[in-house]
Amino acid sequence: MLSPFNGLKKSQINKLYSLLGTHIYKFHKNQEILPTIKNKNIIGIILEGYAQILNIEYNGNDIVIENLYKNSVFGSNISLTNSENYQIIAKENTDVLVIDYDKLINPNNLTHNYFNIFFRNLFEIINVKIKEKNERIKILEKKQIREKLLEYFEIEHKKSRFNNIYLPFSFKDLADYLAINRSAMFRELKHLKEEQFIEIKDNRITLLYK
Amino acid sequence: MLSPFNGLKKSQINKLYSLLGTHIYKFHKNQEILPTIKNKNIIGIILEGYAQILNIEYNGNDIVIENLYKNSVFGSNISLTNSENYQIIAKENTDVLVIDYDKLINPNNLTHNYFNIFFRNLFEIINVKIKEKNERIKILEKKQIREKLLEYFEIEHKKSRFNNIYLPFSFKDLADYLAINRSAMFRELKHLKEEQFIEIKDNRITLLYK
DNA sequence: TTAGAAAAGGTGCAAGTGCAACTTGTATAT
DNA sequence: ATATACAAGTTGCACTTGCACCTTTTCTAA
């Protein structure tokens, strides 16, 4: 993943920090990250660790909206809708850099070259994010489980050009990503296996029709 | 909608055009926009008119991926997945400004203030886009039609704070947006009416439970 | 090393949905 | 004024899916 600080020297990063009035906060595993940001317009960058943006449903269930790894960018204007029923939870010890959105968008910044490099990096990171969202939408638009699975396979196959897809997460997580019932997904995977469309071994799915 | 040229004078816009080596292309109604861009890395801006990004399914059906109005920004790195089975169709006579992505990301641009203003505008436009995608995903993640409808109502209600939602498109388009079958949607809307959750008059949906 | 938790895998059944095939309503152009 | 096209609205039916509830396997912490 592209770092937002790509192309910047240590000294420039420090200048950037003071220009933007950033703060670094540290959170330990399972702690909620910045419960206060829900009311503020900020951009956060994961400097170290791993966290998840969770949506809290009225019934208490929570859904993973986004995984935040090192160098991930998130914030009220990027990853989050206007709703307030979400939490960001550190899944490991996690360091977060916080930038005030208004300070980021301040026109005076534009005279500093190190800022512009940083800003261009943010732009590229966010573009990747949009692509990922579009992929997910393309899958979720499909009405049937089989079609969703095949669309997912199609996208992953186009990315790697290989007929083997190695799931980067559990089958349970795959069901959540595709927004379908887990056991119904297993049923459909079984059908696809029976019809010789795919083979499954651990976290590897082999496409036999390619 | 925020213009990418917001805060720029005519003379600065002209400088920007030459800096980025832009081209303006004109398309008439129902013409395909830039069939060649599928292989190129570009960013397009709708200067005038109205167009749609369509996904062409293997069965010939096409799905509206995105509506492009005046000032909309689109491009291979923004709105589009890696797949090549899409078309952008002008629904009216439409003028499109095309920027080469590599020229946009060129570090030398950053020394020009007018470029940085333009770039910051792009950043904000794209952030809005992500928010919209997140909203849609939140709806599509719901497993049942009723839940999708209620989530849609919830989001629109939070935006306007009013109990009346005026559909900006037809009910047919709403069904497409929610990725559900149109007649199944009408059936569920009827149930919601019968249970006194909502009232419908023309394109106005009134939320009675708020 | 063992108990407990969580994921993988499976099944029956009721509920929900997509689809086809209508009717009705409403624009738009000739 | 009338034909044409398209959106709105409805219904029956078959198929799909979610859900509850299992068992088995794998992982993890004491």
Side-chain angles (χ1 to χ4, degrees):
Chain A
M1 187 169 351
L2 176 66
S3 160
F5 306 111
N6 196 31
L8 292 175
K9 293 180 200 140
K10 269 250 162 73
S11 63
Q12 292 178 304
I13 294 176
N14 288 331
K15 276 193 213 163
L16 185 71
Y17 281 7
S18 73
L19 177 72
L20 299 178
T22 60
H23 288 279
I24 295 175
Y25 298 93
K26 289 170 180 286
F27 302 91
H28 53 72
K29 189 173 173 176
N30 294 325
Q31 193 181 0
E32 182 178 1
I33 291 180
L34 294 171
T36 54
I37 65 157
K38 286 164 197 169
N39 317 310
K40 285 188 191 166
N41 230 347
I42 65 101
I43 283 201
I45 297 172
I46 305 290
L47 297 179
E48 209 59 61
Y50 168 49
Q52 288 183 325
I53 305 178
L54 301 174
N55 191 42
I56 317 297
E57 303 273 274
Y58 53 92
N59 56 22
N61 288 358
D62 43 81
I63 296 173
V64 179
I65 298 182
E66 208 165 311
N67 285 297
L68 303 174
Y69 310 101
K70 185 177 174 176
N71 291 329
S72 285
V73 176
F74 66 96
S76 28
N77 276 281
I78 301 180
S79 305
L80 309 171
T81 51
N82 297 312
S83 91
E84 299 192 0
N85 40 349
Y86 64 84
Q87 287 187 337
I88 307 176
I89 304 289
K91 307 303 276 187
E92 301 171 4
N93 293 345
T94 301
D95 301 348
V96 181
L97 179 81
V98 174
I99 306 168
D100 193 81
Y101 191 78
D102 292 333
K103 281 191 180 158
L104 184 76
I105 292 301
N106 183 342
N108 297 329
N109 296 337
L110 301 172
T111 56
H112 300 285
N113 196 246
Y114 57 86
F115 172 82
N116 293 323
I117 292 171
F118 170 72
F119 198 64
R120 197 190 57 195
N121 289 338
L122 282 190
F123 185 81
E124 293 223 54
I125 289 169
I126 288 174
N127 277 343
V128 171
K129 223 176 252 264
I130 295 198
K131 265 200 181 170
E132 290 167 358
K133 306 264 174 209
N134 278 327
E135 281 174 3
R136 179 117 194 262
I137 287 173
K138 218 172 157 189
I139 291 168
L140 298 185
E141 275 180 342
K142 296 278 183 280
K143 298 207 172 77
Q144 310 213 329
I145 290 183
R146 173 178 286 237
E147 289 178 343
K148 289 187 191 192
L149 284 166
L150 292 177
E151 184 67 40
Y152 176 75
F153 296 159
E154 199 61 30
I155 288 171
E156 293 307 313
H157 175 253
K158 269 191 182 134
K159 277 187 201 163
S160 75
R161 300 246 145 242
F162 292 117
N163 292 344
N164 285 324
I165 295 167
Y166 294 90
L167 290 187
F169 41 41
S170 68
F171 278 93
K172 181 186 171 300
D173 290 341
L174 178 61
D176 287 341
Y177 181 72
L178 307 180
I180 53 184
N181 181 277
R182 190 183 52 82
S183 65
M185 181 187 80
F186 274 119
R187 179 165 39 204
E188 196 57 42
L189 284 173
K190 201 175 71 178
H191 294 158
L192 286 168
K193 280 192 270 188
E194 284 163 5
E195 295 170 40
Q196 310 275 329
F197 274 91
I198 59 166
E199 266 174 12
I200 296 181
K201 175 114 191 348
D202 299 326
N203 73 328
R204 190 190 69 215
I205 300 172
T206 307
L207 311 181
L208 303 173
Y209 57 94
K210 285 288 173 188
Chain B
M1 187 171 348
L2 177 67
S3 160
F5 306 111
N6 196 32
L8 291 175
K9 294 181 199 139
K10 268 248 162 73
S11 62
Q12 291 179 304
I13 294 175
N14 287 331
K15 276 193 212 163
L16 184 72
Y17 282 7
S18 75
L19 178 73
L20 299 177
T22 58
H23 288 279
I24 295 174
Y25 297 94
K26 288 170 182 286
F27 302 92
H28 52 73
K29 190 174 171 175
N30 294 324
Q31 192 181 0
E32 182 177 1
I33 289 180
L34 295 170
T36 54
I37 66 158
K38 286 165 198 170
N39 318 310
K40 285 188 188 165
N41 230 346
I42 64 103
I43 283 201
I45 298 172
I46 306 288
L47 297 180
E48 209 59 60
Y50 169 48
Q52 288 183 325
I53 305 177
L54 301 174
N55 192 44
I56 316 297
E57 304 272 274
Y58 54 92
N59 56 21
N61 288 359
D62 42 85
I63 295 174
V64 179
I65 298 182
E66 207 165 310
N67 285 297
L68 304 174
Y69 310 100
K70 184 177 174 176
N71 291 329
S72 284
V73 176
F74 66 96
S76 28
N77 276 281
I78 300 180
S79 303
L80 310 171
T81 52
N82 298 314
S83 93
E84 297 191 0
N85 41 349
Y86 64 85
Q87 287 187 336
I88 306 176
I89 304 290
K91 307 305 275 186
E92 301 171 6
N93 292 346
T94 301
D95 300 348
V96 180
L97 180 82
V98 175
I99 305 167
D100 193 81
Y101 191 79
D102 292 334
K103 281 192 179 156
L104 184 77
I105 292 300
N106 183 341
N108 297 329
N109 297 338
L110 301 172
T111 57
H112 299 285
N113 196 248
Y114 57 85
F115 171 83
N116 293 324
I117 292 171
F118 170 72
F119 198 65
R120 197 190 56 194
N121 289 337
L122 282 189
F123 185 80
E124 293 223 51
I125 289 169
I126 289 173
N127 277 345
V128 171
K129 225 178 251 266
I130 295 196
K131 265 198 182 173
E132 289 167 357
K133 307 261 174 210
N134 278 328
E135 282 174 3
R136 179 120 193 260
I137 287 174
K138 218 173 157 190
I139 290 167
L140 298 184
E141 274 181 342
K142 296 279 182 281
K143 297 206 173 75
Q144 309 213 330
I145 289 181
R146 171 178 288 237
E147 291 177 343
K148 289 187 191 192
L149 283 167
L150 292 177
E151 185 68 39
Y152 176 75
F153 296 158
E154 200 60 30
I155 289 171
E156 293 307 313
H157 175 254
K158 268 189 182 136
K159 277 186 200 163
S160 75
R161 299 246 147 240
F162 291 117
N163 292 345
N164 286 323
I165 296 168
Y166 294 89
L167 290 187
F169 41 40
S170 68
F171 279 93
K172 182 184 170 301
D173 290 341
L174 177 60
D176 288 341
Y177 181 72
L178 306 180
I180 53 184
N181 180 278
R182 189 183 55 82
S183 64
M185 181 187 80
F186 274 118
R187 179 164 41 205
E188 199 56 43
L189 284 173
K190 201 175 71 177
H191 293 159
L192 287 169
K193 279 191 271 188
E194 285 163 3
E195 296 170 40
Q196 310 276 330
F197 274 90
I198 59 166
E199 265 172 15
I200 296 181
K201 176 111 189 355
D202 299 326
N203 74 328
R204 189 191 69 215
I205 300 171
T206 306
L207 311 180
L208 302 174
Y209 56 94
K210 285 288 173 189

